[in-house]
């Protein structure tokens, strides 16, 4: 079995740059343009899976309808919940509590923001969703429309990176990363083909 999975981040949301997490902001017009530009007249996929949050789901639904591709919306692939940080900018958080802000990036496993989803819980959620995706589909080309944190976590899993190192991966708006997965039915061997590209 050979499975191709393209990981695509959503485009720019409305509301500017902030710790958006699980806030359900829609795409801005620029965000729509970014996602359309990354997939011009291209629909090589057999199946689309998308986070259920609007900044992913709205485009995924449009793409699926345009090209008659089956679509699954999944709450399992939503972004990590940032708790009290949601809706705030890095500048606001740094000004409010500089020590707590930098503690998260120094050790994100043990310095969870107030009321946020712990990083290890997020890891378990994405690992479970990823494994289910791999076992459900065989010999197909899948598009997964998701968030920067979700894509970082999947890449960290594929590359066997230490958990805190995932934040070193840059994932631009509407960028596509491709993973090829081989399986003999008992185990999976995943390889990163390219990162932060497009289908142009």
């Amino acid at each position: 079995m050979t499975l191709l999975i393209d990981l695509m981040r959503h485009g720019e949301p409305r509301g500017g740059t902030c710790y958006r997490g699980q806030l359900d902001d829609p795409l801005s017009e620029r965000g729509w343009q970014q996602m359309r530009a990354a997939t011009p007249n291209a629909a090589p996929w057999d199946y689309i899976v998308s986070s259920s949050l609007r900044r992913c789901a709205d485009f995924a639904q449009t793409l699926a309808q345009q090209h008659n591709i089956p679509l699954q919306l999944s709450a399992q692939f939503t972004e990590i919940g940032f708790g009290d940080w949601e809706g705030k900018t890095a500048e606001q958080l740094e000004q409010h509590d500089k020590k707590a802000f930098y503690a998260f990036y120094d050790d994100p496993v043990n310095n969870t923001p107030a009321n946020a989803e712990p990083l290890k819980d997020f890891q378990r959620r994405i690992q479970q969703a990823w494994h289910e995706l791999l076992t459900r589909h065989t010999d197909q080309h899948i598009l997964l429309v998701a968030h920067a944190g979700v894509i970082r976590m999947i890449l960290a899993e594929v590359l066997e990176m230490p958990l805190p190192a995932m934040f070193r991966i840059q994932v631009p708006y509407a960028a596509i990363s491709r993973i090829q997965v081989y399986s003999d039915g008992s185990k999976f061997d995943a390889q990163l083909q390219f990162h932060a590209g497009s289908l142009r």
Side-chain angles (χ1 to χ4, degrees), residues 3-8 44-45 130 141-142 155 158 176-181 191-199:
L3 180 64
L4 278 182
I5 303 178
D6 291 338
L7 312 175
M8 184 179 190
W45 305 289
W130 177 247
H141 191 172
I142 309 297
L155 293 178
V158 168
I176 296 175
S177 301
R178 177 168 293 172
I179 296 173
Q180 190 164 22
V181 183
Q191 297 179 346
L192 179 63
Q193 299 294 306
F194 63 80
H195 172 60
S198 73
L199 299 183

Side-chain angles (χ1 to χ4, degrees), residues 14 44 50 67 92 96 141 143 152 154 190:
R14 293 181 192 171
S50 173
H67 299 283
Q92 290 171 327
H96 176 69
H141 191 172
L143 174 65
R152 288 186 181 110
I154 291 171

Side-chain angles (χ1 to χ4, degrees), residues 49-186:
V49 179
S50 173
S51 160
S52 56
L53 294 176
R54 288 188 61 192
R55 58 190 184 270
C56 296
D58 288 353
F59 177 80
Q61 288 172 325
T62 298
L63 189 68
Q65 290 169 2
Q66 286 177 341
H67 299 283
N68 195 30
I69 302 172
L71 168 68
Q72 175 196 355
L73 299 182
S74 172
Q76 284 185 292
F77 283 114
T78 55
E79 182 62 288
I80 188 171
F82 279 110
D84 291 0
W85 284 17
E86 297 208 351
K88 296 182 173 64
T89 66
E91 292 77 12
Q92 290 171 327
L93 293 169
E94 187 177 8
Q95 290 174 4
H96 176 69
D97 192 338
K98 187 174 183 177
K99 182 178 179 181
F101 179 69
Y102 285 105
F104 173 74
Y105 287 100
D106 288 339
D107 184 1
V109 174
N110 295 304
N111 292 290
T112 303
N115 300 309
E117 182 178 15
L119 192 59
K120 286 191 174 180
D121 289 357
F122 178 58
Q123 181 186 40
R124 281 190 288 270
R125 171 162 67 85
I126 300 304
Q127 284 177 337
Q128 179 181 355
W130 177 247
H131 182 73
E132 289 175 358
L133 184 67
L134 298 186
T135 54
R136 187 180 300 122
H137 299 278
T138 58
D139 296 315
Q140 288 183 307
H141 191 172
I142 309 297
L143 174 65
L144 173 60
V145 184
H147 310 268
V150 173
I151 293 169
R152 288 186 181 110
M153 187 63 77
I154 291 171
L155 293 178
E157 176 77 6
V158 168
L159 299 175
E160 299 182 353
M161 296 171 59
L163 182 56
M166 63 175 277
F167 291 103
R168 299 176 187 172
I169 303 174
Q170 290 293 324
V171 185
Y173 287 136
I176 296 175
S177 301
R178 177 168 293 172
I179 296 173
Q180 190 164 22
V181 183
Y182 304 94
S183 175
D184 61 4
S186 61

Side-chain angles (χ1 to χ4, degrees), residues 31-44:
W32 278 100
Q33 291 171 357
Q34 289 167 334
M35 298 191 81
R36 291 188 189 109
T39 57
N41 301 315

